[in-house]
Amino acid sequence: MNPTVLEPAERDPKAIRRTVIVLFLLMLVGGAVIWWKYTQQQAKDKQEEIAGRSPRISRLTKNFAGVCQDGEFRGLDDLEGKVWVVAPIVPNHPEENKIQLQKMQDLAEHYKERDDFHLVCISVANPHEHGYEELAKIADEVGADMSQWWFMAAEEKSVIGFLKDHLKMAHIKERKGADAEKFGVHDIPAQLRIVDQSRRVRGEFEQFDFDFALARQNEVRERLKTQPTLLDDKQSREGQLLNLYHDMEEIWTKRMYKVIDYTFTETETDQDPNYGSAIVVALTILAFIIIMGIRLRKHRNATTGG
C-alpha cells in the first residue's frame, strides 16, 4: 500500500481564509439587505396604520346564515365585495342593545349613499322564542332599510359559535340566577366588527367594544372629580392610559370610521410576509458553500493525486 495515500491533504491557509472572509461578507450583506427590507416594510405599515389600515383579526371561511327581519333566509356570503359592520343584539332585553344600535344607526346615516356598505345585527337568543318578527320590530324602531341593514336570527348555539370562533368576540359570558332573569342569559359586548370586501375581520381584538370604552371613560372621569391633575402626567404608562380612557368612546368611534373609510379604498390584499430577500440570501450563501466545498475537494484530490 502506498503510504502517501494515507497522509492528510495539504491545507491551503490562504484559500480557507479567503473562503471565511467571503462567507462572512455574504452574511453581512445579506443581513443588511434583510434588515433594510424589514425596516422599509415597518415604515410602510406604520403609515398605512395612521391612514386607517387595521390588522386582520381573522378571515371568515365559513358562511353564516339566518332568517332576516323580512322572514327571508340569507347568508353573509352574499355580502362579499362589500364592507360591512356586524354587532350582536339580544332582542328580548332591549337595554342590552342601546349602545351598539346607536352606533349602527350613526353608521347607517353616515354611509347611506354607499351601495358597497352594509350592516348586520345578529340575534343572540332562541329563535323559536324570539324570532324574526321581534327583529322586524327592532328594525322598524331604528329605521333600518332592508337593502342596507339586516337583522338575523339563527340557532343560538351556532350564533355564539360564530361570534366567538369567527368574529373573535371571546368575552361573551353566560349569566346565571337573578342576573340572567334581569339582563338575559348571555352577557354580550356592545362590540362592532368590521369585515372587508374579502371577508377579513379588521381591527384589534379589544377594539370597538363600546361597553368597555364607556365603562373606562366613566371610571376615569369619576376619579378626576377628586384628582383633577391625573391627566397632566402624559409620560408614565398610567398617565397615558388615563388620557386614553378619558375620551375612549370618542377615540374608538373616530378610529372605527377611519378604518372603514380606508377599507373602501384599499386595493392591496393581505399577503404572506415577503421572504424573497431572505430566501435569495440564504440560497446565495448555500451555493457559495457548495462551490467552495467542491473546489476544496478538487484541490485535495489534486494534492493527494486522488
Side-chain angles (χ1 to χ4, degrees), residues 71-303:
E72 296 294 322
F73 193 79
R74 292 180 175 83
L76 296 181
D77 274 357
D78 297 336
L79 299 179
E80 186 159 358
K82 294 185 177 185
V83 177
W84 48 284
V85 177
V86 58
I89 62 167
V90 184
N92 51 319
H93 289 276
E95 67 279 359
E96 292 288 288
N97 310 320
K98 288 180 180 179
I99 299 174
Q100 58 268 48
L101 285 180
Q102 182 59 60
K103 293 296 178 186
M104 298 289 261
Q105 281 182 288
D106 293 343
L107 287 167
E109 176 63 25
H110 187 81
Y111 294 110
K112 63 183 179 182
E113 304 299 329
R114 297 200 68 116
D115 294 332
D116 54 352
F117 180 74
H118 207 85
L119 298 167
V120 181
C121 284
I122 300 178
S123 169
V124 186
N126 185 337
H128 305 292
E129 297 177 6
H130 309 282
Y132 74 89
E133 297 90 351
E134 285 191 39
L135 296 182
K137 292 179 182 177
I138 298 173
D140 185 59
E141 289 171 1
V142 298
D145 185 339
M146 188 70 211
S147 64
Q148 185 199 35
W149 190 350
W150 295 348
F151 286 76
M152 299 181 74
E155 290 299 326
E156 197 171 6
K157 186 176 180 180
S158 67
V159 168
I160 294 173
F162 180 73
L163 295 175
K164 286 186 174 182
D165 299 336
H166 297 275
L167 293 180
K168 305 303 180 184
M169 296 182 181
H171 48 294
I172 295 176
K173 300 176 181 177
E174 188 171 321
R175 297 189 181 103
K176 297 185 182 297
D179 283 346
E181 288 289 331
K182 185 177 181 180
F183 302 110
V185 175
H186 300 292
D187 180 10
I188 64 169
Q191 188 168 32
L192 279 61
R193 286 293 195 216
I194 300 166
V195 185
D196 70 13
Q197 300 92 328
S198 298
R199 296 168 55 82
R200 296 166 298 195
V201 183
R202 309 306 294 252
E204 304 282 355
F205 283 96
E206 301 84 3
Q207 266 185 347
F208 314 140
D209 181 343
F210 292 100
D211 263 342
F212 175 85
L214 285 169
R216 287 290 180 270
Q217 185 170 292
N218 293 335
E219 180 183 306
V220 169
R221 293 184 178 187
E222 193 65 29
R223 286 182 63 186
L224 288 173
K225 291 179 181 179
T226 56
Q227 298 173 282
T229 60
L230 284 175
L231 296 183
D232 295 341
D233 178 16
K234 293 182 172 61
Q235 301 302 317
S236 70
R237 174 66 175 166
E238 183 183 14
Q240 291 171 357
L241 284 176
L242 287 174
N243 276 274
L244 170 64
Y245 290 154
H246 182 262
D247 299 304
M248 196 169 197
E249 189 271 340
E250 181 182 355
I251 290 170
W252 273 6
T253 298
K254 287 181 178 178
R255 179 64 183 171
M256 180 175 66
Y257 279 90
K258 202 170 188 179
V259 170
I260 293 171
D261 289 339
Y262 182 88
T263 304
F264 281 128
T265 61
E266 188 177 18
T267 57
E268 189 174 324
T269 59
D270 280 348
Q271 298 174 346
D272 292 330
N274 181 11
Y275 298 113
S277 300
I279 292 172
V280 169
V281 171
L283 290 176
T284 301
I285 294 173
L286 181 61
F288 176 77
I289 293 172
I290 292 173
I291 292 170
M292 294 308 297
I294 293 172
R295 289 184 60 187
L296 288 172
R297 188 182 184 89
K298 288 182 177 180
H299 176 74
R300 184 191 64 184
N301 291 338
T303 303

